[in-house]
């Protein structure tokens, strides 16, 4: 099995948690730190490919010999350094994928201008979490359980069978959480067989033959897959 290569710049407030999460999933991780204490923390946590570099020095960054199939994650604690690093990496590696984090709208704009392919706005994430906790507490709890624990929780693809009560209904009409599962995406035949993430504000019509991707406890997923075979509820 080919391991995805990830190079994480920063092992501070955010980087250490991202690194640990990816390590559990068996990613091929390289960690780069400019701070001696954070560097030592990464080593103490058992990471082998850890480098202490001056990330403002392009020549030192070049010693990493990064390839285009490596994804770069910029999570330095210093937001100004994070922007500078993103700019430097884009200058050095034109085709490589760069993900950066931001804690303000202003920094988000700078990171995008610096060449980040994807910027995660921490304030937006926090706001969405507060909304979901208020509006969808069961779904939020299930997702957190999957991310933080994952004990017994998994994904399952299930095709909506012919004659199912789901046929013709809109996604928002179905309270998936009441069945102990969460719909995270689907392959809608009417939309060209492309996978579509189900997000707030986006609704889709369910049809027989569509493939739903759900998350939940394995026993609940099995029960739900049998349940949707019913023609009426």
């Amino acid at each position: 099995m080919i391991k995805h290569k990830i190079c994480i710049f920063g092992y501070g407030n955010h980087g250490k948690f991202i690194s640990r999460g990816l390590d559990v999933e068996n990613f091929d991780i390289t960690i780069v730190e400019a701070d001696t204490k954070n560097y030592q923390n990464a080593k103490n946590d058992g990471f082998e490919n850890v480098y202490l570099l001056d990330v403002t020095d392009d020549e030192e960054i070049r010693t990493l010999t990064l390839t285009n199939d490596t994804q770069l994650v910029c999570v330095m604690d210093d937001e100004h350094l994070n922007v500078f690093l993103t700019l430097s990496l884009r200058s050095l590696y034109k085709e490589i994928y760069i993900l950066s984090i931001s804690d303000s709208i202003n920094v988000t704009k700078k990171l995008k201008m610096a060449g980040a392919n994807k910027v995660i706005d921490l304030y937006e994430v926090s706001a969405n979490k507060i909304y979901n906790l208020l509006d969808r507490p069961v779904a939020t709890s299930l997702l957190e359980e999957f991310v933080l624990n994952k004990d017994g929780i998994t994904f399952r693809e299930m095709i909506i069978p012919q004659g199912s009560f789901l046929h013709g209904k809109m996604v928002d009409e179905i309270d998936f959480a009441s069945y102990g599962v969460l719909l995270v995406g689907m392959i809608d035949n009417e939309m060209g067989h492309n996978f579509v993430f189900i997000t707030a504000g986006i609704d889709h019509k369910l049809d027989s033959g569509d493939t739903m991707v759900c998350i939940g406890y394995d026993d609940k997923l099995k029960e739900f897959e049998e349940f949707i075979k019913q023609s009426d509820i």
Side-chain angles (χ1 to χ4, degrees), residues 99-134:
L99 181 149
S100 300
I101 65 168
S102 164
D103 59 4
S104 72
I105 295 177
N106 186 42
V107 173
T108 296
K109 292 179 179 179
K110 290 181 180 179
L111 287 167
K112 290 180 177 179
M113 291 178 64
N117 298 89
K118 174 70 175 179
V119 179
I120 297 177
D121 189 321
L122 299 180
Y123 277 116
E124 182 178 348
V125 170
S126 297
N128 285 337
K129 180 171 181 180
I130 291 171
Y131 167 80
N132 285 326
L133 283 170
L134 295 172

PDB file of all heavy atoms in Angstrom, residues 99-134:
ATOM      1  N   LEU A  99      -1.180  23.325   1.890  1.00  0.00           N
ATOM      2  CA  LEU A  99      -2.313  23.642   2.757  1.00  0.00           C
ATOM      3  C   LEU A  99      -1.799  24.477   3.923  1.00  0.00           C
ATOM      4  O   LEU A  99      -0.790  24.138   4.536  1.00  0.00           O
ATOM      5  CB  LEU A  99      -2.982  22.365   3.272  1.00  0.00           C
ATOM      6  CG  LEU A  99      -4.212  22.525   4.180  1.00  0.00           C
ATOM      7  CD1 LEU A  99      -5.157  21.338   3.991  1.00  0.00           C
ATOM      8  CD2 LEU A  99      -3.815  22.624   5.658  1.00  0.00           C
ATOM      9  N   SER A 100      -2.490  25.578   4.233  1.00  0.00           N
ATOM     10  CA  SER A 100      -2.070  26.445   5.339  1.00  0.00           C
ATOM     11  C   SER A 100      -3.258  26.727   6.245  1.00  0.00           C
ATOM     12  O   SER A 100      -4.408  26.604   5.823  1.00  0.00           O
ATOM     13  CB  SER A 100      -1.501  27.769   4.809  1.00  0.00           C
ATOM     14  OG  SER A 100      -0.382  27.559   3.984  1.00  0.00           O
ATOM     15  N   ILE A 101      -2.978  27.089   7.490  1.00  0.00           N
ATOM     16  CA  ILE A 101      -4.050  27.466   8.407  1.00  0.00           C
ATOM     17  C   ILE A 101      -3.993  28.967   8.667  1.00  0.00           C
ATOM     18  O   ILE A 101      -2.945  29.602   8.538  1.00  0.00           O
ATOM     19  CB  ILE A 101      -3.976  26.700   9.743  1.00  0.00           C
ATOM     20  CG1 ILE A 101      -2.706  27.071  10.518  1.00  0.00           C
ATOM     21  CG2 ILE A 101      -4.080  25.211   9.524  1.00  0.00           C
ATOM     22  CD1 ILE A 101      -2.712  26.588  11.952  1.00  0.00           C
ATOM     23  N   SER A 102      -5.154  29.512   9.031  1.00  0.00           N
ATOM     24  CA  SER A 102      -5.269  30.946   9.276  1.00  0.00           C
ATOM     25  C   SER A 102      -6.157  31.179  10.484  1.00  0.00           C
ATOM     26  O   SER A 102      -7.046  30.381  10.779  1.00  0.00           O
ATOM     27  CB  SER A 102      -5.861  31.625   8.039  1.00  0.00           C
ATOM     28  OG  SER A 102      -6.322  32.924   8.349  1.00  0.00           O
ATOM     29  N   ASP A 103      -5.921  32.299  11.174  1.00  0.00           N
ATOM     30  CA  ASP A 103      -6.785  32.642  12.308  1.00  0.00           C
ATOM     31  C   ASP A 103      -7.463  33.994  12.113  1.00  0.00           C
ATOM     32  O   ASP A 103      -7.974  34.589  13.056  1.00  0.00           O
ATOM     33  CB  ASP A 103      -6.009  32.611  13.624  1.00  0.00           C
ATOM     34  CG  ASP A 103      -4.833  33.567  13.643  1.00  0.00           C
ATOM     35  OD1 ASP A 103      -4.674  34.312  12.650  1.00  0.00           O
ATOM     36  OD2 ASP A 103      -4.090  33.578  14.635  1.00  0.00           O
ATOM     37  N   SER A 104      -7.477  34.480  10.865  1.00  0.00           N
ATOM     38  CA  SER A 104      -8.172  35.739  10.580  1.00  0.00           C
ATOM     39  C   SER A 104      -8.423  35.857   9.085  1.00  0.00           C
ATOM     40  O   SER A 104      -7.738  35.231   8.270  1.00  0.00           O
ATOM     41  CB  SER A 104      -7.356  36.943  11.059  1.00  0.00           C
ATOM     42  OG  SER A 104      -6.232  37.139  10.231  1.00  0.00           O
ATOM     43  N   ILE A 105      -9.420  36.666   8.725  1.00  0.00           N
ATOM     44  CA  ILE A 105      -9.747  36.884   7.316  1.00  0.00           C
ATOM     45  C   ILE A 105      -8.563  37.505   6.588  1.00  0.00           C
ATOM     46  O   ILE A 105      -8.255  37.156   5.448  1.00  0.00           O
ATOM     47  CB  ILE A 105     -10.977  37.800   7.191  1.00  0.00           C
ATOM     48  CG1 ILE A 105     -12.211  37.103   7.763  1.00  0.00           C
ATOM     49  CG2 ILE A 105     -11.224  38.190   5.736  1.00  0.00           C
ATOM     50  CD1 ILE A 105     -13.460  37.959   7.758  1.00  0.00           C
ATOM     51  N   ASN A 106      -7.886  38.425   7.261  1.00  0.00           N
ATOM     52  CA  ASN A 106      -6.746  39.109   6.658  1.00  0.00           C
ATOM     53  C   ASN A 106      -5.629  38.127   6.313  1.00  0.00           C
ATOM     54  O   ASN A 106      -5.059  38.166   5.216  1.00  0.00           O
ATOM     55  CB  ASN A 106      -6.226  40.189   7.610  1.00  0.00           C
ATOM     56  CG  ASN A 106      -5.138  41.050   6.988  1.00  0.00           C
ATOM     57  OD1 ASN A 106      -5.239  41.445   5.821  1.00  0.00           O
ATOM     58  ND2 ASN A 106      -4.085  41.320   7.748  1.00  0.00           N
ATOM     59  N   VAL A 107      -5.327  37.232   7.261  1.00  0.00           N
ATOM     60  CA  VAL A 107      -4.267  36.244   7.029  1.00  0.00           C
ATOM     61  C   VAL A 107      -4.684  35.257   5.943  1.00  0.00           C
ATOM     62  O   VAL A 107      -3.866  34.838   5.124  1.00  0.00           O
ATOM     63  CB  VAL A 107      -3.917  35.507   8.341  1.00  0.00           C
ATOM     64  CG1 VAL A 107      -2.944  34.357   8.072  1.00  0.00           C
ATOM     65  CG2 VAL A 107      -3.313  36.466   9.349  1.00  0.00           C
ATOM     66  N   THR A 108      -5.967  34.903   5.924  1.00  0.00           N
ATOM     67  CA  THR A 108      -6.466  33.993   4.895  1.00  0.00           C
ATOM     68  C   THR A 108      -6.205  34.553   3.502  1.00  0.00           C
ATOM     69  O   THR A 108      -5.748  33.848   2.602  1.00  0.00           O
ATOM     70  CB  THR A 108      -7.981  33.741   5.077  1.00  0.00           C
ATOM     71  OG1 THR A 108      -8.202  33.082   6.332  1.00  0.00           O
ATOM     72  CG2 THR A 108      -8.530  32.879   3.951  1.00  0.00           C
ATOM     73  N   LYS A 109      -6.496  35.848   3.316  1.00  0.00           N
ATOM     74  CA  LYS A 109      -6.262  36.488   2.026  1.00  0.00           C
ATOM     75  C   LYS A 109      -4.775  36.469   1.665  1.00  0.00           C
ATOM     76  O   LYS A 109      -4.407  36.209   0.509  1.00  0.00           O
ATOM     77  CB  LYS A 109      -6.776  37.932   2.062  1.00  0.00           C
ATOM     78  CG  LYS A 109      -8.291  38.055   2.151  1.00  0.00           C
ATOM     79  CD  LYS A 109      -8.721  39.511   2.199  1.00  0.00           C
ATOM     80  CE  LYS A 109     -10.232  39.650   2.264  1.00  0.00           C
ATOM     81  NZ  LYS A 109     -10.663  41.070   2.344  1.00  0.00           N
ATOM     82  N   LYS A 110      -3.932  36.736   2.661  1.00  0.00           N
ATOM     83  CA  LYS A 110      -2.480  36.743   2.406  1.00  0.00           C
ATOM     84  C   LYS A 110      -1.980  35.363   2.001  1.00  0.00           C
ATOM     85  O   LYS A 110      -1.145  35.230   1.097  1.00  0.00           O
ATOM     86  CB  LYS A 110      -1.745  37.226   3.658  1.00  0.00           C
ATOM     87  CG  LYS A 110      -1.932  38.700   3.966  1.00  0.00           C
ATOM     88  CD  LYS A 110      -1.155  39.091   5.206  1.00  0.00           C
ATOM     89  CE  LYS A 110      -1.325  40.571   5.528  1.00  0.00           C
ATOM     90  NZ  LYS A 110      -0.585  40.948   6.769  1.00  0.00           N
ATOM     91  N   LEU A 111      -2.493  34.331   2.682  1.00  0.00           N
ATOM     92  CA  LEU A 111      -2.054  32.967   2.383  1.00  0.00           C
ATOM     93  C   LEU A 111      -2.475  32.549   0.978  1.00  0.00           C
ATOM     94  O   LEU A 111      -1.728  31.879   0.266  1.00  0.00           O
ATOM     95  CB  LEU A 111      -2.618  31.999   3.424  1.00  0.00           C
ATOM     96  CG  LEU A 111      -1.972  32.064   4.807  1.00  0.00           C
ATOM     97  CD1 LEU A 111      -2.800  31.299   5.818  1.00  0.00           C
ATOM     98  CD2 LEU A 111      -0.547  31.515   4.766  1.00  0.00           C
ATOM     99  N   LYS A 112      -3.671  32.947   0.579  1.00  0.00           N
ATOM    100  CA  LYS A 112      -4.132  32.622  -0.769  1.00  0.00           C
ATOM    101  C   LYS A 112      -3.298  33.344  -1.812  1.00  0.00           C
ATOM    102  O   LYS A 112      -2.943  32.769  -2.848  1.00  0.00           O
ATOM    103  CB  LYS A 112      -5.615  32.982  -0.918  1.00  0.00           C
ATOM    104  CG  LYS A 112      -6.544  32.069  -0.129  1.00  0.00           C
ATOM    105  CD  LYS A 112      -8.001  32.459  -0.314  1.00  0.00           C
ATOM    106  CE  LYS A 112      -8.916  31.495   0.429  1.00  0.00           C
ATOM    107  NZ  LYS A 112     -10.352  31.871   0.282  1.00  0.00           N
ATOM    108  N   MET A 113      -2.959  34.601  -1.529  1.00  0.00           N
ATOM    109  CA  MET A 113      -2.115  35.368  -2.440  1.00  0.00           C
ATOM    110  C   MET A 113      -0.704  34.797  -2.481  1.00  0.00           C
ATOM    111  O   MET A 113      -0.024  34.871  -3.509  1.00  0.00           O
ATOM    112  CB  MET A 113      -2.080  36.837  -2.016  1.00  0.00           C
ATOM    113  CG  MET A 113      -3.401  37.567  -2.213  1.00  0.00           C
ATOM    114  SD  MET A 113      -3.334  39.290  -1.647  1.00  0.00           S
ATOM    115  CE  MET A 113      -2.112  39.967  -2.763  1.00  0.00           C
ATOM    116  N   ALA A 114      -0.276  34.201  -1.359  1.00  0.00           N
ATOM    117  CA  ALA A 114       1.065  33.623  -1.286  1.00  0.00           C
ATOM    118  C   ALA A 114       1.175  32.316  -2.057  1.00  0.00           C
ATOM    119  O   ALA A 114       2.283  31.837  -2.308  1.00  0.00           O
ATOM    120  CB  ALA A 114       1.455  33.397   0.177  1.00  0.00           C
ATOM    121  N   GLY A 115       0.003  31.730  -2.410  1.00  0.00           N
ATOM    122  CA  GLY A 115       0.042  30.531  -3.248  1.00  0.00           C
ATOM    123  C   GLY A 115      -0.461  29.258  -2.609  1.00  0.00           C
ATOM    124  O   GLY A 115      -0.279  28.175  -3.180  1.00  0.00           O
ATOM    125  N   ALA A 116      -1.114  29.361  -1.447  1.00  0.00           N
ATOM    126  CA  ALA A 116      -1.656  28.160  -0.812  1.00  0.00           C
ATOM    127  C   ALA A 116      -2.815  27.613  -1.651  1.00  0.00           C
ATOM    128  O   ALA A 116      -3.672  28.367  -2.088  1.00  0.00           O
ATOM    129  CB  ALA A 116      -2.136  28.471   0.599  1.00  0.00           C
ATOM    130  N   ASN A 117      -2.828  26.306  -1.875  1.00  0.00           N
ATOM    131  CA  ASN A 117      -3.934  25.675  -2.600  1.00  0.00           C
ATOM    132  C   ASN A 117      -5.201  25.646  -1.757  1.00  0.00           C
ATOM    133  O   ASN A 117      -6.313  25.752  -2.271  1.00  0.00           O
ATOM    134  CB  ASN A 117      -3.571  24.241  -2.997  1.00  0.00           C
ATOM    135  CG  ASN A 117      -2.400  24.179  -3.933  1.00  0.00           C
ATOM    136  OD1 ASN A 117      -1.253  24.112  -3.492  1.00  0.00           O
ATOM    137  ND2 ASN A 117      -2.667  24.205  -5.226  1.00  0.00           N
ATOM    138  N   LYS A 118      -5.019  25.485  -0.454  1.00  0.00           N
ATOM    139  CA  LYS A 118      -6.151  25.403   0.456  1.00  0.00           C
ATOM    140  C   LYS A 118      -5.785  26.112   1.754  1.00  0.00           C
ATOM    141  O   LYS A 118      -4.696  25.905   2.301  1.00  0.00           O
ATOM    142  CB  LYS A 118      -6.494  23.934   0.753  1.00  0.00           C
ATOM    143  CG  LYS A 118      -7.580  23.720   1.798  1.00  0.00           C
ATOM    144  CD  LYS A 118      -8.946  24.148   1.289  1.00  0.00           C
ATOM    145  CE  LYS A 118     -10.030  23.811   2.285  1.00  0.00           C
ATOM    146  NZ  LYS A 118     -11.376  24.244   1.837  1.00  0.00           N
ATOM    147  N   VAL A 119      -6.701  26.959   2.236  1.00  0.00           N
ATOM    148  CA  VAL A 119      -6.508  27.654   3.506  1.00  0.00           C
ATOM    149  C   VAL A 119      -7.656  27.279   4.439  1.00  0.00           C
ATOM    150  O   VAL A 119      -8.824  27.431   4.078  1.00  0.00           O
ATOM    151  CB  VAL A 119      -6.453  29.182   3.331  1.00  0.00           C
ATOM    152  CG1 VAL A 119      -6.263  29.854   4.691  1.00  0.00           C
ATOM    153  CG2 VAL A 119      -5.327  29.577   2.379  1.00  0.00           C
ATOM    154  N   ILE A 120      -7.322  26.787   5.616  1.00  0.00           N
ATOM    155  CA  ILE A 120      -8.327  26.466   6.618  1.00  0.00           C
ATOM    156  C   ILE A 120      -8.399  27.614   7.606  1.00  0.00           C
ATOM    157  O   ILE A 120      -7.435  27.893   8.322  1.00  0.00           O
ATOM    158  CB  ILE A 120      -7.988  25.155   7.350  1.00  0.00           C
ATOM    159  CG1 ILE A 120      -8.004  23.988   6.356  1.00  0.00           C
ATOM    160  CG2 ILE A 120      -8.998  24.898   8.471  1.00  0.00           C
ATOM    161  CD1 ILE A 120      -7.621  22.658   6.971  1.00  0.00           C
ATOM    162  N   ASP A 121      -9.541  28.293   7.614  1.00  0.00           N
ATOM    163  CA  ASP A 121      -9.761  29.430   8.507  1.00  0.00           C
ATOM    164  C   ASP A 121     -10.280  28.905   9.842  1.00  0.00           C
ATOM    165  O   ASP A 121     -11.397  28.390   9.933  1.00  0.00           O
ATOM    166  CB  ASP A 121     -10.772  30.386   7.871  1.00  0.00           C
ATOM    167  CG  ASP A 121     -10.895  31.692   8.642  1.00  0.00           C
ATOM    168  OD1 ASP A 121     -10.858  31.654   9.887  1.00  0.00           O
ATOM    169  OD2 ASP A 121     -11.035  32.748   8.002  1.00  0.00           O
ATOM    170  N   LEU A 122      -9.478  29.028  10.889  1.00  0.00           N
ATOM    171  CA  LEU A 122      -9.839  28.465  12.191  1.00  0.00           C
ATOM    172  C   LEU A 122     -11.070  29.122  12.781  1.00  0.00           C
ATOM    173  O   LEU A 122     -11.871  28.471  13.465  1.00  0.00           O
ATOM    174  CB  LEU A 122      -8.657  28.589  13.154  1.00  0.00           C
ATOM    175  CG  LEU A 122      -7.386  27.856  12.735  1.00  0.00           C
ATOM    176  CD1 LEU A 122      -6.288  28.069  13.769  1.00  0.00           C
ATOM    177  CD2 LEU A 122      -7.653  26.374  12.554  1.00  0.00           C
ATOM    178  N   TYR A 123     -11.264  30.425  12.519  1.00  0.00           N
ATOM    179  CA  TYR A 123     -12.450  31.103  13.024  1.00  0.00           C
ATOM    180  C   TYR A 123     -13.705  30.572  12.336  1.00  0.00           C
ATOM    181  O   TYR A 123     -14.746  30.374  12.959  1.00  0.00           O
ATOM    182  CB  TYR A 123     -12.338  32.617  12.812  1.00  0.00           C
ATOM    183  CG  TYR A 123     -11.547  33.307  13.888  1.00  0.00           C
ATOM    184  CD1 TYR A 123     -10.345  33.941  13.608  1.00  0.00           C
ATOM    185  CD2 TYR A 123     -12.006  33.324  15.207  1.00  0.00           C
ATOM    186  CE1 TYR A 123      -9.613  34.571  14.607  1.00  0.00           C
ATOM    187  CE2 TYR A 123     -11.284  33.956  16.203  1.00  0.00           C
ATOM    188  CZ  TYR A 123     -10.089  34.575  15.902  1.00  0.00           C
ATOM    189  OH  TYR A 123      -9.372  35.184  16.891  1.00  0.00           O
ATOM    190  N   GLU A 124     -13.597  30.326  11.029  1.00  0.00           N
ATOM    191  CA  GLU A 124     -14.741  29.795  10.296  1.00  0.00           C
ATOM    192  C   GLU A 124     -15.073  28.391  10.763  1.00  0.00           C
ATOM    193  O   GLU A 124     -16.240  28.035  10.925  1.00  0.00           O
ATOM    194  CB  GLU A 124     -14.437  29.785   8.794  1.00  0.00           C
ATOM    195  CG  GLU A 124     -15.600  29.294   7.943  1.00  0.00           C
ATOM    196  CD  GLU A 124     -15.283  29.336   6.462  1.00  0.00           C
ATOM    197  OE1 GLU A 124     -14.267  29.956   6.088  1.00  0.00           O
ATOM    198  OE2 GLU A 124     -16.052  28.744   5.695  1.00  0.00           O
ATOM    199  N   VAL A 125     -14.040  27.603  11.006  1.00  0.00           N
ATOM    200  CA  VAL A 125     -14.249  26.246  11.505  1.00  0.00           C
ATOM    201  C   VAL A 125     -14.937  26.281  12.858  1.00  0.00           C
ATOM    202  O   VAL A 125     -15.877  25.521  13.126  1.00  0.00           O
ATOM    203  CB  VAL A 125     -12.904  25.493  11.610  1.00  0.00           C
ATOM    204  CG1 VAL A 125     -13.083  24.172  12.362  1.00  0.00           C
ATOM    205  CG2 VAL A 125     -12.323  25.235  10.229  1.00  0.00           C
ATOM    206  N   SER A 126     -14.477  27.183  13.740  1.00  0.00           N
ATOM    207  CA  SER A 126     -15.071  27.290  15.072  1.00  0.00           C
ATOM    208  C   SER A 126     -16.531  27.747  14.979  1.00  0.00           C
ATOM    209  O   SER A 126     -17.392  27.237  15.697  1.00  0.00           O
ATOM    210  CB  SER A 126     -14.278  28.296  15.920  1.00  0.00           C
ATOM    211  OG  SER A 126     -12.946  27.838  16.111  1.00  0.00           O
ATOM    212  N   ALA A 127     -16.793  28.714  14.098  1.00  0.00           N
ATOM    213  CA  ALA A 127     -18.159  29.204  13.938  1.00  0.00           C
ATOM    214  C   ALA A 127     -19.081  28.102  13.435  1.00  0.00           C
ATOM    215  O   ALA A 127     -20.207  27.944  13.906  1.00  0.00           O
ATOM    216  CB  ALA A 127     -18.182  30.384  12.974  1.00  0.00           C
ATOM    217  N   ASN A 128     -18.585  27.314  12.465  1.00  0.00           N
ATOM    218  CA  ASN A 128     -19.390  26.214  11.942  1.00  0.00           C
ATOM    219  C   ASN A 128     -19.655  25.166  13.010  1.00  0.00           C
ATOM    220  O   ASN A 128     -20.735  24.575  13.065  1.00  0.00           O
ATOM    221  CB  ASN A 128     -18.682  25.559  10.748  1.00  0.00           C
ATOM    222  CG  ASN A 128     -18.771  26.410   9.501  1.00  0.00           C
ATOM    223  OD1 ASN A 128     -19.667  27.230   9.376  1.00  0.00           O
ATOM    224  ND2 ASN A 128     -17.843  26.220   8.586  1.00  0.00           N
ATOM    225  N   LYS A 129     -18.657  24.943  13.872  1.00  0.00           N
ATOM    226  CA  LYS A 129     -18.835  23.949  14.929  1.00  0.00           C
ATOM    227  C   LYS A 129     -19.900  24.414  15.917  1.00  0.00           C
ATOM    228  O   LYS A 129     -20.743  23.632  16.356  1.00  0.00           O
ATOM    229  CB  LYS A 129     -17.520  23.701  15.663  1.00  0.00           C
ATOM    230  CG  LYS A 129     -17.672  22.670  16.790  1.00  0.00           C
ATOM    231  CD  LYS A 129     -16.356  22.266  17.383  1.00  0.00           C
ATOM    232  CE  LYS A 129     -16.561  21.227  18.461  1.00  0.00           C
ATOM    233  NZ  LYS A 129     -15.311  20.780  19.079  1.00  0.00           N
ATOM    234  N   ILE A 130     -19.871  25.698  16.269  1.00  0.00           N
ATOM    235  CA  ILE A 130     -20.879  26.228  17.194  1.00  0.00           C
ATOM    236  C   ILE A 130     -22.266  26.083  16.584  1.00  0.00           C
ATOM    237  O   ILE A 130     -23.223  25.669  17.245  1.00  0.00           O
ATOM    238  CB  ILE A 130     -20.578  27.709  17.520  1.00  0.00           C
ATOM    239  CG1 ILE A 130     -19.297  27.799  18.361  1.00  0.00           C
ATOM    240  CG2 ILE A 130     -21.748  28.343  18.274  1.00  0.00           C
ATOM    241  CD1 ILE A 130     -18.802  29.211  18.555  1.00  0.00           C
ATOM    242  N   TYR A 131     -22.375  26.408  15.284  1.00  0.00           N
ATOM    243  CA  TYR A 131     -23.668  26.282  14.597  1.00  0.00           C
ATOM    244  C   TYR A 131     -24.145  24.832  14.619  1.00  0.00           C
ATOM    245  O   TYR A 131     -25.312  24.543  14.924  1.00  0.00           O
ATOM    246  CB  TYR A 131     -23.539  26.772  13.165  1.00  0.00           C
ATOM    247  CG  TYR A 131     -24.736  26.402  12.294  1.00  0.00           C
ATOM    248  CD1 TYR A 131     -25.908  27.140  12.346  1.00  0.00           C
ATOM    249  CD2 TYR A 131     -24.678  25.291  11.448  1.00  0.00           C
ATOM    250  CE1 TYR A 131     -27.002  26.793  11.576  1.00  0.00           C
ATOM    251  CE2 TYR A 131     -25.767  24.936  10.679  1.00  0.00           C
ATOM    252  CZ  TYR A 131     -26.921  25.695  10.746  1.00  0.00           C
ATOM    253  OH  TYR A 131     -27.994  25.338   9.994  1.00  0.00           O
ATOM    254  N   ASN A 132     -23.228  23.913  14.299  1.00  0.00           N
ATOM    255  CA  ASN A 132     -23.612  22.499  14.250  1.00  0.00           C
ATOM    256  C   ASN A 132     -23.979  21.949  15.620  1.00  0.00           C
ATOM    257  O   ASN A 132     -24.870  21.115  15.749  1.00  0.00           O
ATOM    258  CB  ASN A 132     -22.472  21.668  13.645  1.00  0.00           C
ATOM    259  CG  ASN A 132     -22.374  21.848  12.147  1.00  0.00           C
ATOM    260  OD1 ASN A 132     -23.374  22.026  11.478  1.00  0.00           O
ATOM    261  ND2 ASN A 132     -21.168  21.816  11.621  1.00  0.00           N
ATOM    262  N   LEU A 133     -23.282  22.416  16.665  1.00  0.00           N
ATOM    263  CA  LEU A 133     -23.603  21.966  18.015  1.00  0.00           C
ATOM    264  C   LEU A 133     -25.019  22.386  18.403  1.00  0.00           C
ATOM    265  O   LEU A 133     -25.731  21.667  19.114  1.00  0.00           O
ATOM    266  CB  LEU A 133     -22.602  22.533  19.023  1.00  0.00           C
ATOM    267  CG  LEU A 133     -21.234  21.847  19.074  1.00  0.00           C
ATOM    268  CD1 LEU A 133     -20.274  22.659  19.931  1.00  0.00           C
ATOM    269  CD2 LEU A 133     -21.358  20.432  19.620  1.00  0.00           C
ATOM    270  N   LEU A 134     -25.423  23.565  17.929  1.00  0.00           N
ATOM    271  CA  LEU A 134     -26.752  24.060  18.243  1.00  0.00           C
ATOM    272  C   LEU A 134     -27.819  23.446  17.335  1.00  0.00           C
ATOM    273  O   LEU A 134     -28.932  23.137  17.774  1.00  0.00           O
ATOM    274  CB  LEU A 134     -26.789  25.587  18.104  1.00  0.00           C
ATOM    275  CG  LEU A 134     -25.921  26.368  19.102  1.00  0.00           C
ATOM    276  CD1 LEU A 134     -25.903  27.845  18.712  1.00  0.00           C
ATOM    277  CD2 LEU A 134     -26.428  26.208  20.521  1.00  0.00           C
TER     278      LEU A 134
END
